[in-house]
């Protein structure tokens, strides 16, 4: 049994920081574990232009504690009226690392999202030309589609068409939750990758709905049935490098204050940042795949995004680590992922 694991410093390829005091409160949790993170643009108002992204990046950089080295990677929130020239300029200037497609009303702060994917085909064409990565929240929003089927339906209705129409566009299918998504990504070209969250590797939908409603296990896309969870674990930890390399770490850490989760209309999102690496490593250990953890956490993402891997290392030790029931944040409290549980691994720096 190994007692300690040292890997190249990882990156988080899907993350929500919010803004203002909450952002300043949560940035240190991510900056202590990760070198870089793809920062989601679903603020109110959303980060839709190069200018807004550059300002937001400055605010995040200012929130990174002095003793930590961390670089936020910004994304452009696509709308029906995104200006391809501004996006291309922002990407060329190094402000934007990717652009994010939220179908309108799919999730938290997505009301300005895209109402019909075909409306942004001119933008996708420009992104393909300029090799700008497209991150996709892959769920349809049609009211007639069951919430548990929305990801699979998105593949059929939109994703197949996007990758067929833009074969050279790099696409990240974000926070995948189904075996359908795993199969889609496996069958797709090398231009298509996917992020997987810790929660979707740990829980199925029972964790949300059995024994009373469990708001802290609610996020979007919602956790699905057990067969899907097992497919995600198999993909992330695959011993076939041709499969494993398409999947990489993206926590989708999405902070909402305790009261906003424990509410008659509770917010979607799980605050995974405080124990992100410990949570993922637990899964890799359970799958007998600790030796494949570094690729998932620290190598596959940079390769997909065409960025250098990090030179520093981080270490996790086998230490029983109780996770607090809640953490203080902006004078209130927030419930972290794995609250009240004891993890077997601890990030030590
Ligand atoms: C995210 C959030 O709160 O911003 N929520 C979530 O459940 N994952 C949005 C998102 O990524 O869907
Ligand atoms: Zn997200």
């Amino acid at each position: 049994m190994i007692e300690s694991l040292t890997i190249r410093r990882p990156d988080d390829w899907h993350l929500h920081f919010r803004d203002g005091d909450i952002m300043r409160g949560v940035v240190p949790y991510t900056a202590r574990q990760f070198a870089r993170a793809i920062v989601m643009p679903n603020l109110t108002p959303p980060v839709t232009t190069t200018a807004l992204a550059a300002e937001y990046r400055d605010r995040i950089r200012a929130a990174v504690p002095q003793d930590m080295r961390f670089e936020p990677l910004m994304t452009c929130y696509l709308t029906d009226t995104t200006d391809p020239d501004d996006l291309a300029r922002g990407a060329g200037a190094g402000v934007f690392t990717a652009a994010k497609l939220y179908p309108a009303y799919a999730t938290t702060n997505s009301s300005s999202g895209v109402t019909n994917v075909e409306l942004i085909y001119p933008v996708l064409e420009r992104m393909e030309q300029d090799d700008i990565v497209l991150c996709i929240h892959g769920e349809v929003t049609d009211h007639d589609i069951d919430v548990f089927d929305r990801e699979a339906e998105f593949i059929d209705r939109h994703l197949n068409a996007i990758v067929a129409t833009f074969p050279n566009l790099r696409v990240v299918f974000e926070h995948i939750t189904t075996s359908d998504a795993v199969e889609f990504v496996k069958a797709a070209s090398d231009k298509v990758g996917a992020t997987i969250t810790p929660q979707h590797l740990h829980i199925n939908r029972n964790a949300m709905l059995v024994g009373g409603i469990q708001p802290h296990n609610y996020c979007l896309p919602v956790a699905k049935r057990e067969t899907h969870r097992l497919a995600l674990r198999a993909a992330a930890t695959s011993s076939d490098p041709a499969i494993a390399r398409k999947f990489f770490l993206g926590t989708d850490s999405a902070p909402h204050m305790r009261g906003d989760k424990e509410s008659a209309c509770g917010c979607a999102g799980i605050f995974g940042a405080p124990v992100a690496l410990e949570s993922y490593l637990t899964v890799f250990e359970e799958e007998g795949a600790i030796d494949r953890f570094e690729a998932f956490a620290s190598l596959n993402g940079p390769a997909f995004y065409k960025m250098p891997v990090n030179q520093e290392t981080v270490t996790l030790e086998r230490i029983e680590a109780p996770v607090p029931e809640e953490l203080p944040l902006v004078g209130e409290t927030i419930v972290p992922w794995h609250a009240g549980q004891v993890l077997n691994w601890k990030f030590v720096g």
Side-chain angles (χ1 to χ4, degrees):
M1 230 211 286
I2 76 157
E3 295 301 319
S4 156
L5 180 72
T6 296
I7 59 170
R8 269 183 202 274
R9 191 141 182 249
D11 306 296
D12 185 348
W13 299 98
H14 181 128
L15 173 74
H16 302 266
F17 272 148
R18 315 304 185 201
D19 208 346
D21 289 342
I22 293 187
M23 180 272 288
R24 283 185 283 279
V26 300
V27 160
Y29 290 110
T30 291
R32 71 188 257 277
Q33 294 203 336
F34 298 100
R36 298 168 289 200
I38 289 275
V39 179
M40 288 296 134
N42 60 332
L43 307 181
T44 37
V47 182
T48 49
T49 65
T50 302
L52 288 170
E55 290 164 16
Y56 184 34
R57 183 169 67 176
D58 287 345
R59 294 196 294 278
I60 297 168
R61 283 177 172 162
V64 175
Q66 297 269 309
D67 58 338
M68 296 183 195
R69 290 239 309 275
F70 173 79
E71 180 61 7
L73 306 174
M74 310 312 289
T75 54
C76 176
Y77 185 115
L78 297 175
T79 70
D80 288 352
T81 58
T82 296
D83 173 7
D85 290 332
D86 179 67
L87 171 57
R89 241 190 333 268
V95 176
F96 287 130
T97 300
K100 173 74 186 233
L101 167 57
Y102 288 106
Y105 300 103
T107 187
T108 309
N109 297 341
S110 61
S111 58
S112 313
V114 174
T115 58
N116 172 356
V117 178
E118 286 177 13
L119 284 176
I120 61 157
Y121 269 25
V123 178
L124 301 188
E125 191 180 338
R126 182 63 173 276
M127 290 174 65
E128 181 183 42
Q129 271 168 21
D130 288 16
D131 199 23
I132 303 167
V133 170
L134 174 67
C135 298
I136 300 185
H137 183 110
E139 286 192 289
V140 297
T141 53
D142 311 55
H143 292 294
D144 56 321
I145 305 297
D146 190 281
V147 71
F148 292 101
D149 297 333
R150 288 183 172 194
E151 184 174 280
E153 197 65 30
F154 187 88
I155 299 171
D156 295 344
R157 290 196 189 181
H158 303 296
L159 204 46
N160 280 319
I162 291 172
V163 300
T165 310
F166 306 103
N168 290 314
L169 178 64
R170 279 184 292 153
V171 173
V172 182
F173 196 172
E174 300 280 1
H175 42 49
I176 59 169
T177 61
T178 58
S179 58
D180 311 70
V182 168
E183 291 310 314
F184 173 84
V185 172
K186 279 199 218 170
S189 79
D190 276 0
K191 303 282 180 190
V192 178
T195 53
I196 307 182
T197 74
Q199 59 265 25
H200 293 114
L201 295 168
H202 276 277
I203 61 171
N204 62 36
R205 60 197 192 176
N206 284 13
M208 191 172 55
L209 296 169
V210 174
I213 194 150
Q214 313 283 332
H216 300 291
N217 288 338
Y218 172 58
C219 66
L220 286 168
V222 281
K224 307 295 192 299
R225 60 169 66 244
E226 179 67 358
T227 48
H228 295 294
R229 184 181 79 100
L230 297 178
L232 298 172
R233 288 171 78 109
T237 65
S238 175
S239 58
D240 179 348
I243 294 173
R245 62 199 285 270
K246 299 184 138 210
F247 300 94
F248 37 91
L249 187 159
T251 61
D252 195 16
S253 179
H256 292 281
M257 305 310 297
R258 177 169 212 140
D260 296 327
K261 297 283 293 172
E262 298 174 5
S263 153
C265 184
C267 294
I270 293 177
F271 183 42
V275 288
L277 288 178
E278 296 91 329
S279 182
Y280 281 113
L281 182 55
T282 301
V283 171
F284 276 73
E285 173 159 52
E286 287 166 359
E287 295 292 328
I290 288 186
D291 57 327
R292 293 173 214 142
F293 183 54
E294 182 177 43
F296 177 80
S298 315
L299 306 178
N300 299 346
F304 184 90
Y305 273 90
K306 301 185 181 170
M307 291 183 167
V309 295
N310 299 312
Q311 293 307 312
E312 319 90 82
T313 59
V314 297
T315 299
L316 291 109
E317 286 180 3
R318 186 184 299 284
I319 300 172
E320 282 200 359
V323 181
E325 294 282 358
E326 59 182 24
L327 296 165
L329 187 64
V330 294
E332 296 178 53
T333 60
I334 187 163
V335 176
W337 172 233
H338 291 302
Q341 299 173 15
V342 179
L343 297 173
N344 290 329
W345 291 94
K346 195 172 173 57
F347 176 88
V348 294

